[in-house]
């Protein structure tokens, strides 16, 4: 019989009970068939406890290097962490709105896109996007950053004493915005996009394109648009119209859905579930309390005021869209009420910290009017936008950004401060539009050239993307017998 020799530098352990932590895995694997032993199982339960103890010791060792945590540090980081969670939860709202306003046969595909897009955003933005947008040196000052991959999560004493955000909390909050930009694209290309090609574009958008343009504005005193004086507090243009332009390019390249236009006349293609679309709208409204107030990046006296201006904008948008859908269609349209609320929220986002409350309501009301007529205009020019994503995020994102130049209490034209800020807002809107449209057109075209197009086959589209792309149905119990 052959006897296994112990490592020359390590004494042999006769049993698991006598084993060191480093010897235990080897002995445990050699005795895997003996797991029925009570003594072995008892020892095995000690492994996670031991590892937990080592982890806590390591954490304590690092924590000991920091000063005592201040109330400002704790309040700011906890507040922004909660806001990040609210914005991330907006993905549920986007999924429900998009799925509800589209047809039943594509529900699984839409839900899958909205679910996977945040997974993709988290990975791409962590891998490279955050470093491009914030956490790196300028390669082209004011225009382009790059400093390698990933980010440094180290918490410094200066962060604690100054009440600043730790890198991990800041990353999560900024990631939530990147995911929002990509989710907007999903609505514009719904019901005819290939799933794999959508994934590739989302990775490019969140990892490279969005971070580049976002760095122009949200690096305070460094980005070229920020230094110019452009104002976009929480992202009417940086996030919303940027994502809308990217999606619009995809929608144009894809072409309309089968049956959307007959002899050039747009046909109604009603969504299958207004109930979940309505719930999605309310989830998004709730998430906006993370989106806008959270953009303060601290818990201070501005936060509740911004929450109120945000609420007023959304409320006014819903009222206006309901009224004007009544005027144009003869009856109040629930889908327009949904989009009107979202339009008002998008519209007020750029300047929610600098508006009077009446101004916030007026801006939201105008956004609610614009979304109704924008949906009709997009149909008229032959672009198929299944859920009105361009009208909500593009049209009203542009309006909301320009509204800063009109209504801002300190710099707006209507508050007696001249045209200067309005001109700067035009420059910012135009810069984001050109960059997003051009780069997205290139990205969509290259992806299509490599993979043989970005649109599913006519047969798959007719049958439904749930079957063609995923091999399942959202409501199998309701499927008709064949």
């Amino acid at each position: 019989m052959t006897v296994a020799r112990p490592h020359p530098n390590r004494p042999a352990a006769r049993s698991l009970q006598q084993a060191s932590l480093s010897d235990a895995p080897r002995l445990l694997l050699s005795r895997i068939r003996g797991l029925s032993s009570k003594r072995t199982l008892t020892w095995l339960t000690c492994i996670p406890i031991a590892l937990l103890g080592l982890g806590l010791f390591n954490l304590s060792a690092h924590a000991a290097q920091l000063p005592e945590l201040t109330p400002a540090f704790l309040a700011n980081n906890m507040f922004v962490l909660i806001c990040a969670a609210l914005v991330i939860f907006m993905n549920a709202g986007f999924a429900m709105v998009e799925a509800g306003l589209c047809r039943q046969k594509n529900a699984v595909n839409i839900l899958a896109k909205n679910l996977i897009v945040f997974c993709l955003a988290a990975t791409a933005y962590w891998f490279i996007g955050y470093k491009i947008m914030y956490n790196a040196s300028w390669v082209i000052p004011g225009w382009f950053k790059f400093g390698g991959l990933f980010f440094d999560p180290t918490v410094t004493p200066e962060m604690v004493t100054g009440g600043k955000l730790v890198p991990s909390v800041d990353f999560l909050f900024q990631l939530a915005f990147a995911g929002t930009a990509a989710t907007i694209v999903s609505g514009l290309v719904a019901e005819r996009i290939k799933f794999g090609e959508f994934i590739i574009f989302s990775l490019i958008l969140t990892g490279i394109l969005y971070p580049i343009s976002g760095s122009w504005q949200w690096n305070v005193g460094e980005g070229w648009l920020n230094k110019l004086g452009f104002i976009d507090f929480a992202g009417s243009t940086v996030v919303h119209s940027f994502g809308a332009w990217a999606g619009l390019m995809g929608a144009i390249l894809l072409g309309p859905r089968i049956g959307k236009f007959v002899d050039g006349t747009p046909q109604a293609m009603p969504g299958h579930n207004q109930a979940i679309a309505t719930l999605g709208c309310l989830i998004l409204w709730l998430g906006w309390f993370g989106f806008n107030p959270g953009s303060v990046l601290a818990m201070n006296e501005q936060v509740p005021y911004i929450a109120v201006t945000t609420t007023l904008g959304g409320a006014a948008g819903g009222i206006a869209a309901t009224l004007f859908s009544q005027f144009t269609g003869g009856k109040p349209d629930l889908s327009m009420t949904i989009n009107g609320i979202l339009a008002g929220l998008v519209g007020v986002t750029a300047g929610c910290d600098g508006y009077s409350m009446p101004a916030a309501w007026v801006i939201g009301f105008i956004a609610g009017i614009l979304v109704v007529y924008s949906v009709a205009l997009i149909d008229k020019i032959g672009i198929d936008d299944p859920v009105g994503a361009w009208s909500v995020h593009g049209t009203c994102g542009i309006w909301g950004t320009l509204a800063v130049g009109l209504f801002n209490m300190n710099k707006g034209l209507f508050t007696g401060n001249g045209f200067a800020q309005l001109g700067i807002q035009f420059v910012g809107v135009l810069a984001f539009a050109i960059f997003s449209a051009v780069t997205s057109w290139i990205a969509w075209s290259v992806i299509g050239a490599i993979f043989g197009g970005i649109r599913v086959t006519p047969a798959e589209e007719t049958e439904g993307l749930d079957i063609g792309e995923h091999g399942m149905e959202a409501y199998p119990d309701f499927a008709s017998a064949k």
Side-chain angles (χ1 to χ4, degrees), residues 98 106-120 182 185-186 189-204 254 444 447 451-457 460-461 464-472:
E98 186 181 342
N106 299 310
V108 167
N109 177 259
I110 289 164
L111 295 172
K113 284 193 291 130
N114 280 272
L115 195 58
I116 197 65
V117 77
F118 185 72
C119 302
L120 300 169
V185 176
S186 177
V189 299
E191 300 201 285
R192 70 261 200 223
I193 187 78
K194 291 181 181 177
F195 188 72
E197 284 68 3
F198 173 77
I199 284 177
I200 295 170
F201 181 80
S202 297
L203 285 169
I204 295 170
L254 282 166
W444 283 122
I447 292 169
F451 296 99
I454 59 175
R455 183 166 179 155
V456 298
T457 65
E460 286 179 311
E461 184 178 343
L465 274 63
D466 290 1
I467 297 297
E469 290 285 286
H470 305 277
M472 62 177 66

Side-chain angles (χ1 to χ4, degrees), residues 250-298:
I252 291 171
L253 287 169
L254 282 166
R257 292 166 293 172
I258 296 172
K260 175 61 181 176
F261 295 99
V262 176
D263 298 327
T265 302
Q267 306 297 309
M269 303 181 81
H272 81 284
N273 195 326
Q274 295 291 334
I276 67 167
T278 301
L279 179 59
C281 174
L282 291 169
I283 290 173
L284 287 169
W285 198 341
L286 175 65
W288 239 283
F289 293 120
F291 209 96
N292 287 0
S295 293
V296 177
L297 301 180

Side-chain angles (χ1 to χ4, degrees), residues 203-220:
L203 285 169
I204 295 170
L205 182 82
T206 56
I208 300 172
L209 303 184
Y210 168 78
I212 289 175
S213 58
S215 72
W216 300 346
Q217 172 59 16
W218 283 345
N219 282 277
V220 178

Side-chain angles (χ1 to χ4, degrees), residues 345-401:
L345 292 166
V346 171
V348 81
T349 288
C352 54
D353 64 326
Y355 294 143
S356 67
M357 291 184 185
W361 193 92
V362 169
I363 291 165
F365 192 86
I366 294 172
I369 298 171
L370 288 173
V371 78
V372 173
Y373 290 100
S374 177
V375 167
L377 177 62
I378 289 296
D379 275 350
K380 187 174 182 179
I381 62 177
I383 297 174
D384 186 8
D385 179 4
V387 300
W390 166 260
S391 299
V392 170
H393 302 280
T395 299
C396 295
I398 292 169
W399 156 243
T401 308

Side-chain angles (χ1 to χ4, degrees), residues 129-215:
Y130 186 68
K131 290 283 284 188
I132 290 176
M133 193 163 177
Y134 293 108
N135 203 288
S137 300
W138 291 103
V139 177
I140 304 174
W143 288 84
F144 179 68
K145 282 188 168 192
F146 186 73
L149 308 177
F150 310 109
F151 71 97
D152 182 2
T154 302
V155 181
T156 66
E158 292 75 21
M159 294 175 188
V160 175
T161 57
K164 298 179 180 178
L165 298 183
V166 300
S168 298
V169 168
D170 185 60
F171 166 77
L172 280 174
F173 188 71
Q174 304 302 337
L175 157 65
F177 281 59
T180 299
T183 304
I184 292 166
V185 176
S186 177
L188 274 145
V189 299
E191 300 201 285
R192 70 261 200 223
I193 187 78
K194 291 181 181 177
F195 188 72
E197 284 68 3
F198 173 77
I199 284 177
I200 295 170
F201 181 80
S202 297
L203 285 169
I204 295 170
L205 182 82
T206 56
I208 300 172
L209 303 184
Y210 168 78
I212 289 175
S213 58
S215 72

Side-chain angles (χ1 to χ4, degrees), residues 16-198:
L16 282 170
Q17 289 75 21
Q18 297 172 321
S20 67
L21 191 59
S22 58
D23 280 318
R26 177 174 57 83
L27 290 174
L28 183 61
L29 288 173
S30 70
R31 300 186 182 189
I32 194 70
R33 293 183 180 178
L35 287 178
S36 59
S37 167
K38 291 183 179 179
R39 297 184 70 188
T40 300
L41 290 171
T42 300
W43 192 94
L44 189 59
T45 60
C46 294
I47 292 178
I49 297 173
L51 292 175
L52 177 62
L54 288 172
L56 290 174
F57 175 81
N58 186 54
L59 180 63
S60 299
H62 284 289
Q65 300 171 6
L66 297 175
E68 183 177 354
L69 304 184
T70 65
F73 174 80
L74 292 171
N76 292 339
N77 280 275
M78 179 58 71
F79 170 67
V80 176
L81 183 60
I82 292 170
C83 288
L86 284 171
V87 180
I88 290 169
F89 189 55
M90 289 173 75
N91 286 279
F94 281 117
M96 288 186 171
V97 169
E98 186 181 342
L101 295 181
C102 289
R103 291 167 293 177
Q104 175 182 324
K105 64 182 180 179
N106 299 310
V108 167
N109 177 259
I110 289 164
L111 295 172
K113 284 193 291 130
N114 280 272
L115 195 58
I116 197 65
V117 77
F118 185 72
C119 302
L120 300 169
T123 302
Y125 200 69
W126 166 68
F127 183 74
I128 192 171
Y130 186 68
K131 290 283 284 188
I132 290 176
M133 193 163 177
Y134 293 108
N135 203 288
S137 300
W138 291 103
V139 177
I140 304 174
W143 288 84
F144 179 68
K145 282 188 168 192
F146 186 73
L149 308 177
F150 310 109
F151 71 97
D152 182 2
T154 302
V155 181
T156 66
E158 292 75 21
M159 294 175 188
V160 175
T161 57
K164 298 179 180 178
L165 298 183
V166 300
S168 298
V169 168
D170 185 60
F171 166 77
L172 280 174
F173 188 71
Q174 304 302 337
L175 157 65
F177 281 59
T180 299
T183 304
I184 292 166
V185 176
S186 177
L188 274 145
V189 299
E191 300 201 285
R192 70 261 200 223
I193 187 78
K194 291 181 181 177
F195 188 72
E197 284 68 3
F198 173 77

